[in-house]
Amino acid sequence: MRVVATDAWFHHRPSGWRRRGPITVLKVLNRMERSGIHPGAVNLLRRLDQDEFRLLFAVTSGAAGAFDGEIRALGGEVYHCRADWRFPWSFLRLLRQVRPDVVQAEVVQADVTILSGVVLALARLGGVRRRVAYLADAPDRHGDSLGGRVRRIVGRLLLDRFATHLVAVSEAVMRGLWRENWRLDSRCRVIYHGVELEPVGVAIAARRRAEELAEDDQELVTIVHVACPDSAKSRDRAVEILAALRGRSVNARLLFVGRQDAAETARLVALASRRGVADHVEFIGEVLEIPRLLVAASLLLVTSRHEGLTGIVLEACAVGTPVLCADLPGVDEIARLLPGVTILPLRISDAVWADTAEMLTAVPPTIDQRREAMRLLRRSPFTMEHWQRDITAVWS
């Protein structure tokens, strides 16, 4: 018997049909963790009107995530649907169970573009009319290797065939993962990530109180590096820059923030010991209140080889903390609209990076400058209000 894939396979909508109840959105992603686009997705869930949108998550790693409990407490749900040989059947069963109006496949790594295409193909088979490819990472980390080219070609063919909408977190990501002439495709839209401004205001107010009480060592330069364990984040480069900076008699320390991997941590500790800065490197793990961390920092250091939009840069801009960042295309778009971002190529020597860091941290921002930074971000497209409005318009 031949199965015919029609939009009515799971959803029979008779003439005169009208929606009753919220729009159900099933977001499919690799895992839920406190980095990348995931905290923003949970912030969006907090803001959504449950009478209008029901937000569900399907996790293809099969692993429990840091936000699972909070998502359920907010009225959402997390389904663990491992991407193995049984995935097509288990995902189709999930579609029958939750009957989503929208399936959104999150392309958080170029490696999983094919999986995202498969997800949208299965959604089409399952009768889901609105199928969104959400492009959230930089171009393929495999570059021009044969395997990388094959993955890009197959992934784009699948997305081209089965996506009804293509949303990217930046123009650079849209060009890199989709096409240079993306503006000619009516399905394509760039929607920037948004920053929640209320925690930013609270963090700046707390910083003002700390300064009034003289609680901080004004001579200490605190450099923050926020990332998950991944060779593309170049965490070892941050240690080298710290060593070069302390070689200039700058009283600096480096805080590594984010999920830790035992092997990577041991390697970074060994490197710091060889460079003579082991006493000035701290690993503080995942942090819930990122704005408070950033507003107390002297500098945000970003040494990644590739990123999508780099939300942590937006959060630093919101609190007025200087940013020293590798030349990432998505960050170029932020720097065009917001001040406080200095960009250097990774190929430039550690000495130049250290010189620039010393210059950026010589005069700490005042509270008034931090407040102005928050006002500038509020007037930019990088707010949660803009993100919520634009992404719900796609779902609707």
Side-chain angles (χ1 to χ4, degrees), residues 28-96:
V28 184
L29 65 168
N30 181 46
R31 63 186 300 163
M32 289 296 297
E33 58 184 15
R34 299 188 187 278
S35 62
I37 63 174
H38 309 129
V42 178
N43 282 338
L44 182 61
L45 177 59
R46 295 188 189 104
R47 300 171 62 94
L48 289 175
D49 185 340
Q50 297 297 314
D51 293 330
E52 294 185 12
F53 295 97
R54 180 176 177 234
L55 190 56
L56 312 174
F57 298 86
V59 181
T60 59
S61 68
F67 290 111
D68 289 7
E70 184 175 357
I71 288 171
R72 293 186 176 109
L74 290 168
E77 186 54 83
V78 180
Y79 302 94
H80 298 287
C81 197
R82 186 181 295 276
D84 55 20
W85 64 272
R86 296 168 295 183
F87 178 77
W89 291 273
S90 59
F91 189 68
L92 285 173
R93 283 197 301 270
L94 179 60
L95 293 179
R96 286 195 293 269

